[in-house]
Amino acid sequence: FIFSHRHNIASEISFYLPGKPRAYRSHGKRRYSFLGNLDYLIGKNGIYVVQAGRGELNEVTKHFDTVEEIPPLPIVVDGRLLRTFRLFRCMNYKGGLIEV
């Protein structure tokens, strides 16, 4: 599954990725009540997406067995770097990060 610390990033991920996968916002209590129980994510691996210079990785790491950074995703338009997203492979979700 894919998640971010900001709702706008999660929304953009869902919109732009092929197949429009569901993306979640971490620490989004009550924001996902319409999704129902999210226990099906426990034990799954995730990708955490955060804009470089923002977000709190410490809050994410305690909810997974391992978290490792993978190559970043620079957003370049007309040859100009707009922003860079850091990506993290998160293994074996333990629950509690994405709440309903």
Side-chain angles (χ1 to χ4, degrees):
F1 64 98
I2 302 169
F3 66 104
S4 180
H5 70 295
R6 309 264 324 249
H7 68 277
N8 60 319
I9 295 172
S11 298
E12 290 170 2
I13 289 168
S14 287
F15 184 80
Y16 287 109
L17 279 180
K20 304 205 181 308
R22 184 178 290 167
Y24 304 92
R25 179 184 180 273
S26 59
H27 298 89
K29 191 167 188 167
R30 301 213 187 279
R31 294 177 190 262
Y32 295 108
S33 58
F34 67 94
L35 295 176
N37 189 328
L38 296 178
D39 284 348
Y40 64 90
L41 294 176
I42 293 174
K44 299 215 182 280
N45 302 328
I47 298 290
Y48 178 52
V49 181
V50 60
Q51 187 173 339
R54 298 187 180 194
E56 183 57 54
L57 189 57
N58 291 336
E59 286 300 313
V60 172
T61 57
K62 62 186 173 185
H63 296 279
F64 293 89
D65 283 344
T66 60
V67 175
E68 63 181 40
E69 191 161 9
I70 56 180
L73 174 64
I75 304 300
V76 178
V77 175
D78 294 329
R80 194 176 99 227
L81 178 66
L82 295 181
R83 66 182 59 123
T84 299
F85 289 102
R86 294 175 69 196
L87 306 173
F88 296 87
R89 182 179 297 120
C90 305
M91 307 302 285
N92 193 27
Y93 179 55
K94 298 176 186 177
L97 182 65
I98 301 167
E99 303 170 349
V100 279

